[in-house]
Amino acid sequence: VVMVYSASAVQAQAKYQASFWFLVKQLAWAFMGVTLMLGVMRVDYHHYRRPRLVWSLIATVVVLLLAVFFFNPINGTRRWIAFGPVSLQPSEFAKLVAILYTAAVLEWRMHRVNDLGYVLAPIGAVTFVLAGLIVREPDFGTAAILIGIVTVMVFAAGLAYRYLFGTVMVLAPVAAVLMLGSDYRRQRLITFLDPWKDPLGDGFQIIHSLFAVGSGGLFGKGLMAGIEKLYYIPEPHTDFIYAVIGEELGLVGTTVVLACFALIAWRGLRASVLAPDRFGALLALGITMMVVLQAFVNISVVTKLLPTKGIPLPFVSNGGSSLLINLVANARDAMPTGG
């Protein structure tokens, strides 16, 4: 929340005449998220595998993903359902619902996990419907994260590794077509390969992201003292907030952030291993992968290890839907009754 304020204060003052605009909104979402998280921690997670609840959640998410197309686009995309100053991003909810559904189906049909028609067909159908709607927004990065999470869960459940090669052979051409078949995605790939070819155009954002990370040194320039957030990096409080951390808090600050995600990964995988049943293990694994994969992609984009994608940094980037879902999903104390 502190870094959201530091990264957004100047732009919020210019746009809304209130430097605390994004700070107040993020604090409100954080309060709501923590409140819901404390409530979820008191619920036995086995309730979440009931078929009626699972299918109701899937239907709700599909409706929300369709509803975004009836709202005005923001920055050329239709990813949000906006009501005045409040907006929701259904794709964030879709990831958690896909995890719940996959964990439930794998537990119900674990005895025939290598029966592709019996196990993978229903999981694949729901996953690709959700991912397809997200791609249409367009949001290729979130769709890829969703498919990646489900893939990890399926193979962790015991699917034979000989199917891994087949999965890659199927998904790779689809990903290539989606990336190269769209003008803006193709341009992002070209920019990633050589951002200096157009330093004042498409390469501007990633070049200044690297300037921010590199200029921070060991301890950074100090909180609120960053320069690159001042209209050099567009929307620095969202997808590129890690660059602001690098400039203002230096290598020490970015390393602390990485250590926090490593801790989340360790605790999440530990929760998965120690879970008393298969559903709990897969649920913990899926939620952990949701956080870790997003963090990996976001930090890789900021440091030019991957092409630019609109993936927020979990728990850190400005964005109410992302913060709310990650807080609720990581309520790990919800143990079975009597457990």
Side-chain angles (χ1 to χ4, degrees):
V1 172
V2 170
M3 291 312 304
V4 166
Y5 174 65
S6 177
S8 66
V10 173
Q11 294 192 20
Q13 180 64 39
K15 187 174 182 179
Y16 301 104
Q17 291 73 54
S19 61
F20 292 95
W21 177 267
F22 293 106
L23 171 65
V24 172
K25 289 182 65 176
Q26 195 73 351
L27 278 173
W29 281 107
F31 176 78
M32 187 186 309
V34 170
T35 301
L36 289 175
M37 180 183 70
L38 294 175
V40 170
M41 287 170 63
R42 304 175 67 88
V43 178
D44 180 353
Y45 65 77
H46 287 117
H47 292 301
Y48 304 129
R49 65 179 176 181
R50 291 181 295 179
R52 182 177 298 179
L53 175 62
V54 172
W55 285 110
S56 297
L57 289 173
I58 290 174
T60 301
V61 166
V62 169
V63 170
L64 292 175
L65 288 174
L66 290 172
V68 299
F69 298 105
F70 294 93
F71 288 81
N72 294 326
I74 300 176
N75 296 327
T77 63
R78 298 178 185 271
R79 302 178 185 177
W80 294 271
I81 296 176
F83 300 98
V86 178
S87 60
L88 297 174
Q89 191 171 356
S91 58
E92 293 294 333
F93 295 86
K95 287 181 291 189
L96 182 56
V97 170
I99 291 169
L100 286 170
Y101 173 75
T102 302
V105 171
L106 287 173
E107 187 192 42
W108 297 335
R109 307 186 177 191
M110 183 61 66
H111 59 289
R112 291 170 57 184
V113 69
N114 284 298
D115 187 335
L116 301 186
Y118 184 68
V119 177
L120 291 191
I123 293 176
V126 170
T127 300
F128 284 106
V129 166
L130 297 179
L133 290 172
I134 294 171
V135 167
R136 290 291 299 170
E137 294 178 351
D139 188 355
F140 178 76
T142 299
I145 291 289
L146 189 152
I147 293 174
I149 295 168
V150 172
T151 301
V152 170
M153 292 176 66
V154 169
F155 280 98
L159 185 69
Y161 283 96
R162 66 179 179 272
Y163 295 118
L164 180 60
F165 179 75
T167 301
V168 173
M169 292 296 291
V170 171
L171 294 180
V174 175
V177 169
L178 288 173
M179 290 180 63
L180 300 178
S182 168
D183 290 338
Y184 87 92
R185 293 193 192 108
R186 185 167 57 251
Q187 185 57 49
R188 280 185 175 182
L189 182 59
I190 294 172
T191 301
F192 165 71
L193 295 174
D194 185 12
W196 295 98
K197 186 177 181 180
D198 188 11
L200 298 179
D202 292 322
F204 188 83
Q205 184 178 37
I206 187 60
I207 288 173
H208 282 277
S209 175
L210 294 175
F211 283 165
V213 174
S215 65
L218 184 59
F219 297 106
K221 298 176 179 177
L223 188 65
M224 302 292 294
I227 301 299
E228 296 298 330
K229 65 187 180 184
L230 304 179
Y231 301 100
Y232 292 103
I233 300 177
E235 307 291 336
H237 52 295
T238 56
D239 302 339
F240 278 77
I241 197 168
Y242 191 73
V244 179
I245 295 173
E247 184 178 15
E248 298 189 353
L249 304 182
L251 179 62
V252 172
T254 55
T255 301
V256 168
V257 173
L258 283 173
C260 288
F261 283 114
L263 178 62
I264 290 173
W266 169 57
R267 293 292 295 178
L269 294 176
R270 181 177 181 272
S272 178
V273 171
L274 298 179
D277 54 67
R278 185 73 66 174
F279 177 73
L282 292 170
L283 190 61
L285 175 64
I287 291 170
T288 302
M289 292 307 301
M290 180 176 71
V291 174
V292 173
L293 280 178
Q294 285 187 205
F296 173 78
V297 171
N298 177 276
I299 294 172
S300 296
V301 166
V302 169
T303 53
K304 196 186 169 295
L305 296 175
L306 288 175
T308 302
K309 291 294 174 189
I311 300 294
L313 187 60
F315 301 110
V316 183
S317 291
N318 179 72
S321 300
S322 174
L323 182 60
L324 178 69
I325 289 299
N326 280 302
L327 285 170
V328 171
N330 284 273
R332 300 193 188 282
D333 289 344
M335 295 300 292
T337 303

mmCIF file with all atom_site columns, all heavy atoms in Angstrom, residues 159-173:
data_model
loop_
_atom_site.group_PDB
_atom_site.id
_atom_site.type_symbol
_atom_site.label_atom_id
_atom_site.label_alt_id
_atom_site.label_comp_id
_atom_site.label_asym_id
_atom_site.label_entity_id
_atom_site.label_seq_id
_atom_site.pdbx_PDB_ins_code
_atom_site.Cartn_x
_atom_site.Cartn_y
_atom_site.Cartn_z
_atom_site.occupancy
_atom_site.B_iso_or_equiv
_atom_site.pdbx_formal_charge
_atom_site.auth_seq_id
_atom_site.auth_comp_id
_atom_site.auth_asym_id
_atom_site.auth_atom_id
_atom_site.pdbx_PDB_model_num
ATOM 1   N N   . LEU A 1 159 ? -1.161 -37.336 -13.407 1.00 0.00 ? 159 LEU A N   1
ATOM 2   C CA  . LEU A 1 159 ? -1.263 -37.600 -14.830 1.00 0.00 ? 159 LEU A CA  1
ATOM 3   C C   . LEU A 1 159 ? 0.097  -38.041 -15.370 1.00 0.00 ? 159 LEU A C   1
ATOM 4   O O   . LEU A 1 159 ? 1.118  -37.448 -15.050 1.00 0.00 ? 159 LEU A O   1
ATOM 5   C CB  . LEU A 1 159 ? -1.734 -36.346 -15.579 1.00 0.00 ? 159 LEU A CB  1
ATOM 6   C CG  . LEU A 1 159 ? -1.995 -36.510 -17.072 1.00 0.00 ? 159 LEU A CG  1
ATOM 7   C CD1 . LEU A 1 159 ? -3.223 -37.380 -17.306 1.00 0.00 ? 159 LEU A CD1 1
ATOM 8   C CD2 . LEU A 1 159 ? -2.194 -35.144 -17.722 1.00 0.00 ? 159 LEU A CD2 1
ATOM 9   N N   . ALA A 1 160 ? 0.106  -39.072 -16.172 1.00 0.00 ? 160 ALA A N   1
ATOM 10  C CA  . ALA A 1 160 ? 1.363  -39.615 -16.703 1.00 0.00 ? 160 ALA A CA  1
ATOM 11  C C   . ALA A 1 160 ? 2.116  -38.539 -17.490 1.00 0.00 ? 160 ALA A C   1
ATOM 12  O O   . ALA A 1 160 ? 1.519  -37.790 -18.269 1.00 0.00 ? 160 ALA A O   1
ATOM 13  C CB  . ALA A 1 160 ? 1.079  -40.817 -17.602 1.00 0.00 ? 160 ALA A CB  1
ATOM 14  N N   . TYR A 1 161 ? 3.427  -38.493 -17.305 1.00 0.00 ? 161 TYR A N   1
ATOM 15  C CA  . TYR A 1 161 ? 4.233  -37.438 -17.918 1.00 0.00 ? 161 TYR A CA  1
ATOM 16  C C   . TYR A 1 161 ? 4.340  -37.582 -19.432 1.00 0.00 ? 161 TYR A C   1
ATOM 17  O O   . TYR A 1 161 ? 4.782  -36.651 -20.106 1.00 0.00 ? 161 TYR A O   1
ATOM 18  C CB  . TYR A 1 161 ? 5.621  -37.393 -17.281 1.00 0.00 ? 161 TYR A CB  1
ATOM 19  C CG  . TYR A 1 161 ? 5.620  -36.731 -15.933 1.00 0.00 ? 161 TYR A CG  1
ATOM 20  C CD1 . TYR A 1 161 ? 5.530  -37.486 -14.767 1.00 0.00 ? 161 TYR A CD1 1
ATOM 21  C CD2 . TYR A 1 161 ? 5.671  -35.346 -15.828 1.00 0.00 ? 161 TYR A CD2 1
ATOM 22  C CE1 . TYR A 1 161 ? 5.516  -36.872 -13.525 1.00 0.00 ? 161 TYR A CE1 1
ATOM 23  C CE2 . TYR A 1 161 ? 5.650  -34.726 -14.590 1.00 0.00 ? 161 TYR A CE2 1
ATOM 24  C CZ  . TYR A 1 161 ? 5.572  -35.493 -13.439 1.00 0.00 ? 161 TYR A CZ  1
ATOM 25  O OH  . TYR A 1 161 ? 5.540  -34.876 -12.210 1.00 0.00 ? 161 TYR A OH  1
ATOM 26  N N   . ARG A 1 162 ? 3.949  -38.736 -19.951 1.00 0.00 ? 162 ARG A N   1
ATOM 27  C CA  . ARG A 1 162 ? 3.974  -38.854 -21.413 1.00 0.00 ? 162 ARG A CA  1
ATOM 28  C C   . ARG A 1 162 ? 2.976  -37.907 -22.061 1.00 0.00 ? 162 ARG A C   1
ATOM 29  O O   . ARG A 1 162 ? 3.091  -37.565 -23.243 1.00 0.00 ? 162 ARG A O   1
ATOM 30  C CB  . ARG A 1 162 ? 3.669  -40.305 -21.827 1.00 0.00 ? 162 ARG A CB  1
ATOM 31  C CG  . ARG A 1 162 ? 2.266  -40.782 -21.497 1.00 0.00 ? 162 ARG A CG  1
ATOM 32  C CD  . ARG A 1 162 ? 2.051  -42.214 -21.976 1.00 0.00 ? 162 ARG A CD  1
ATOM 33  N NE  . ARG A 1 162 ? 0.730  -42.732 -21.679 1.00 0.00 ? 162 ARG A NE  1
ATOM 34  C CZ  . ARG A 1 162 ? 0.411  -43.341 -20.546 1.00 0.00 ? 162 ARG A CZ  1
ATOM 35  N NH1 . ARG A 1 162 ? 1.339  -43.514 -19.611 1.00 0.00 ? 162 ARG A NH1 1
ATOM 36  N NH2 . ARG A 1 162 ? -0.816 -43.786 -20.339 1.00 0.00 ? 162 ARG A NH2 1
ATOM 37  N N   . TYR A 1 163 ? 1.986  -37.463 -21.280 1.00 0.00 ? 163 TYR A N   1
ATOM 38  C CA  . TYR A 1 163 ? 1.008  -36.522 -21.814 1.00 0.00 ? 163 TYR A CA  1
ATOM 39  C C   . TYR A 1 163 ? 1.541  -35.096 -21.807 1.00 0.00 ? 163 TYR A C   1
ATOM 40  O O   . TYR A 1 163 ? 0.945  -34.207 -22.432 1.00 0.00 ? 163 TYR A O   1
ATOM 41  C CB  . TYR A 1 163 ? -0.288 -36.577 -21.005 1.00 0.00 ? 163 TYR A CB  1
ATOM 42  C CG  . TYR A 1 163 ? -1.009 -37.900 -21.116 1.00 0.00 ? 163 TYR A CG  1
ATOM 43  C CD1 . TYR A 1 163 ? -1.217 -38.697 -19.999 1.00 0.00 ? 163 TYR A CD1 1
ATOM 44  C CD2 . TYR A 1 163 ? -1.482 -38.345 -22.343 1.00 0.00 ? 163 TYR A CD2 1
ATOM 45  C CE1 . TYR A 1 163 ? -1.882 -39.918 -20.099 1.00 0.00 ? 163 TYR A CE1 1
ATOM 46  C CE2 . TYR A 1 163 ? -2.147 -39.563 -22.449 1.00 0.00 ? 163 TYR A CE2 1
ATOM 47  C CZ  . TYR A 1 163 ? -2.336 -40.345 -21.324 1.00 0.00 ? 163 TYR A CZ  1
ATOM 48  O OH  . TYR A 1 163 ? -2.985 -41.549 -21.430 1.00 0.00 ? 163 TYR A OH  1
ATOM 49  N N   . LEU A 1 164 ? 2.645  -34.851 -21.085 1.00 0.00 ? 164 LEU A N   1
ATOM 50  C CA  . LEU A 1 164 ? 3.200  -33.507 -21.028 1.00 0.00 ? 164 LEU A CA  1
ATOM 51  C C   . LEU A 1 164 ? 3.656  -33.049 -22.407 1.00 0.00 ? 164 LEU A C   1
ATOM 52  O O   . LEU A 1 164 ? 3.400  -31.909 -22.808 1.00 0.00 ? 164 LEU A O   1
ATOM 53  C CB  . LEU A 1 164 ? 4.381  -33.463 -20.046 1.00 0.00 ? 164 LEU A CB  1
ATOM 54  C CG  . LEU A 1 164 ? 5.067  -32.105 -19.880 1.00 0.00 ? 164 LEU A CG  1
ATOM 55  C CD1 . LEU A 1 164 ? 4.083  -31.069 -19.372 1.00 0.00 ? 164 LEU A CD1 1
ATOM 56  C CD2 . LEU A 1 164 ? 6.254  -32.226 -18.910 1.00 0.00 ? 164 LEU A CD2 1
ATOM 57  N N   . PHE A 1 165 ? 4.326  -33.950 -23.127 1.00 0.00 ? 165 PHE A N   1
ATOM 58  C CA  . PHE A 1 165 ? 4.790  -33.613 -24.470 1.00 0.00 ? 165 PHE A CA  1
ATOM 59  C C   . PHE A 1 165 ? 3.606  -33.293 -25.377 1.00 0.00 ? 165 PHE A C   1
ATOM 60  O O   . PHE A 1 165 ? 3.630  -32.320 -26.142 1.00 0.00 ? 165 PHE A O   1
ATOM 61  C CB  . PHE A 1 165 ? 5.596  -34.772 -25.052 1.00 0.00 ? 165 PHE A CB  1
ATOM 62  C CG  . PHE A 1 165 ? 6.086  -34.524 -26.450 1.00 0.00 ? 165 PHE A CG  1
ATOM 63  C CD1 . PHE A 1 165 ? 7.145  -33.671 -26.698 1.00 0.00 ? 165 PHE A CD1 1
ATOM 64  C CD2 . PHE A 1 165 ? 5.473  -35.148 -27.534 1.00 0.00 ? 165 PHE A CD2 1
ATOM 65  C CE1 . PHE A 1 165 ? 7.584  -33.437 -27.984 1.00 0.00 ? 165 PHE A CE1 1
ATOM 66  C CE2 . PHE A 1 165 ? 5.906  -34.930 -28.825 1.00 0.00 ? 165 PHE A CE2 1
ATOM 67  C CZ  . PHE A 1 165 ? 6.975  -34.070 -29.055 1.00 0.00 ? 165 PHE A CZ  1
ATOM 68  N N   . GLY A 1 166 ? 2.552  -34.090 -25.278 1.00 0.00 ? 166 GLY A N   1
ATOM 69  C CA  . GLY A 1 166 ? 1.359  -33.839 -26.093 1.00 0.00 ? 166 GLY A CA  1
ATOM 70  C C   . GLY A 1 166 ? 0.711  -32.511 -25.754 1.00 0.00 ? 166 GLY A C   1
ATOM 71  O O   . GLY A 1 166 ? 0.245  -31.795 -26.650 1.00 0.00 ? 166 GLY A O   1
ATOM 72  N N   . THR A 1 167 ? 0.684  -32.171 -24.455 1.00 0.00 ? 167 THR A N   1
ATOM 73  C CA  . THR A 1 167 ? 0.113  -30.895 -24.036 1.00 0.00 ? 167 THR A CA  1
ATOM 74  C C   . THR A 1 167 ? 0.887  -29.732 -24.627 1.00 0.00 ? 167 THR A C   1
ATOM 75  O O   . THR A 1 167 ? 0.295  -28.763 -25.135 1.00 0.00 ? 167 THR A O   1
ATOM 76  C CB  . THR A 1 167 ? 0.118  -30.802 -22.495 1.00 0.00 ? 167 THR A CB  1
ATOM 77  O OG1 . THR A 1 167 ? -0.641 -31.892 -21.940 1.00 0.00 ? 167 THR A OG1 1
ATOM 78  C CG2 . THR A 1 167 ? -0.488 -29.490 -22.034 1.00 0.00 ? 167 THR A CG2 1
ATOM 79  N N   . VAL A 1 168 ? 2.221  -29.827 -24.564 1.00 0.00 ? 168 VAL A N   1
ATOM 80  C CA  . VAL A 1 168 ? 3.059  -28.766 -25.127 1.00 0.00 ? 168 VAL A CA  1
ATOM 81  C C   . VAL A 1 168 ? 2.843  -28.654 -26.634 1.00 0.00 ? 168 VAL A C   1
ATOM 82  O O   . VAL A 1 168 ? 2.757  -27.554 -27.193 1.00 0.00 ? 168 VAL A O   1
ATOM 83  C CB  . VAL A 1 168 ? 4.544  -29.033 -24.809 1.00 0.00 ? 168 VAL A CB  1
ATOM 84  C CG1 . VAL A 1 168 ? 5.434  -28.029 -25.542 1.00 0.00 ? 168 VAL A CG1 1
ATOM 85  C CG2 . VAL A 1 168 ? 4.789  -28.962 -23.310 1.00 0.00 ? 168 VAL A CG2 1
ATOM 86  N N   . MET A 1 169 ? 2.742  -29.813 -27.307 1.00 0.00 ? 169 MET A N   1
ATOM 87  C CA  . MET A 1 169 ? 2.554  -29.810 -28.763 1.00 0.00 ? 169 MET A CA  1
ATOM 88  C C   . MET A 1 169 ? 1.226  -29.171 -29.164 1.00 0.00 ? 169 MET A C   1
ATOM 89  O O   . MET A 1 169 ? 1.104  -28.571 -30.232 1.00 0.00 ? 169 MET A O   1
ATOM 90  C CB  . MET A 1 169 ? 2.623  -31.245 -29.298 1.00 0.00 ? 169 MET A CB  1
ATOM 91  C CG  . MET A 1 169 ? 4.004  -31.875 -29.192 1.00 0.00 ? 169 MET A CG  1
ATOM 92  S SD  . MET A 1 169 ? 5.227  -31.023 -30.217 1.00 0.00 ? 169 MET A SD  1
ATOM 93  C CE  . MET A 1 169 ? 4.644  -31.456 -31.848 1.00 0.00 ? 169 MET A CE  1
ATOM 94  N N   . VAL A 1 170 ? 0.219  -29.288 -28.300 1.00 0.00 ? 170 VAL A N   1
ATOM 95  C CA  . VAL A 1 170 ? -1.089 -28.697 -28.591 1.00 0.00 ? 170 VAL A CA  1
ATOM 96  C C   . VAL A 1 170 ? -1.101 -27.207 -28.275 1.00 0.00 ? 170 VAL A C   1
ATOM 97  O O   . VAL A 1 170 ? -1.598 -26.381 -29.059 1.00 0.00 ? 170 VAL A O   1
ATOM 98  C CB  . VAL A 1 170 ? -2.197 -29.418 -27.800 1.00 0.00 ? 170 VAL A CB  1
ATOM 99  C CG1 . VAL A 1 170 ? -3.513 -28.665 -27.918 1.00 0.00 ? 170 VAL A CG1 1
ATOM 100 C CG2 . VAL A 1 170 ? -2.362 -30.842 -28.308 1.00 0.00 ? 170 VAL A CG2 1
ATOM 101 N N   . LEU A 1 171 ? -0.558 -26.842 -27.109 1.00 0.00 ? 171 LEU A N   1
ATOM 102 C CA  . LEU A 1 171 ? -0.646 -25.459 -26.658 1.00 0.00 ? 171 LEU A CA  1
ATOM 103 C C   . LEU A 1 171 ? 0.327  -24.534 -27.372 1.00 0.00 ? 171 LEU A C   1
ATOM 104 O O   . LEU A 1 171 ? 0.020  -23.353 -27.579 1.00 0.00 ? 171 LEU A O   1
ATOM 105 C CB  . LEU A 1 171 ? -0.401 -25.390 -25.138 1.00 0.00 ? 171 LEU A CB  1
ATOM 106 C CG  . LEU A 1 171 ? -1.460 -26.050 -24.254 1.00 0.00 ? 171 LEU A CG  1
ATOM 107 C CD1 . LEU A 1 171 ? -1.089 -25.890 -22.786 1.00 0.00 ? 171 LEU A CD1 1
ATOM 108 C CD2 . LEU A 1 171 ? -2.835 -25.445 -24.515 1.00 0.00 ? 171 LEU A CD2 1
ATOM 109 N N   . ALA A 1 172 ? 1.512  -25.042 -27.752 1.00 0.00 ? 172 ALA A N   1
ATOM 110 C CA  . ALA A 1 172 ? 2.523  -24.179 -28.370 1.00 0.00 ? 172 ALA A CA  1
ATOM 111 C C   . ALA A 1 172 ? 2.029  -23.531 -29.672 1.00 0.00 ? 172 ALA A C   1
ATOM 112 O O   . ALA A 1 172 ? 2.163  -22.302 -29.842 1.00 0.00 ? 172 ALA A O   1
ATOM 113 C CB  . ALA A 1 172 ? 3.810  -24.961 -28.608 1.00 0.00 ? 172 ALA A CB  1
ATOM 114 N N   . PRO A 1 173 ? 1.441  -24.298 -30.616 1.00 0.00 ? 173 PRO A N   1
ATOM 115 C CA  . PRO A 1 173 ? 0.938  -23.646 -31.836 1.00 0.00 ? 173 PRO A CA  1
ATOM 116 C C   . PRO A 1 173 ? -0.186 -22.653 -31.559 1.00 0.00 ? 173 PRO A C   1
ATOM 117 O O   . PRO A 1 173 ? -0.268 -21.602 -32.212 1.00 0.00 ? 173 PRO A O   1
ATOM 118 C CB  . PRO A 1 173 ? 0.436  -24.823 -32.688 1.00 0.00 ? 173 PRO A CB  1
ATOM 119 C CG  . PRO A 1 173 ? 1.111  -26.028 -32.133 1.00 0.00 ? 173 PRO A CG  1
ATOM 120 C CD  . PRO A 1 173 ? 1.277  -25.751 -30.682 1.00 0.00 ? 173 PRO A CD  1
#
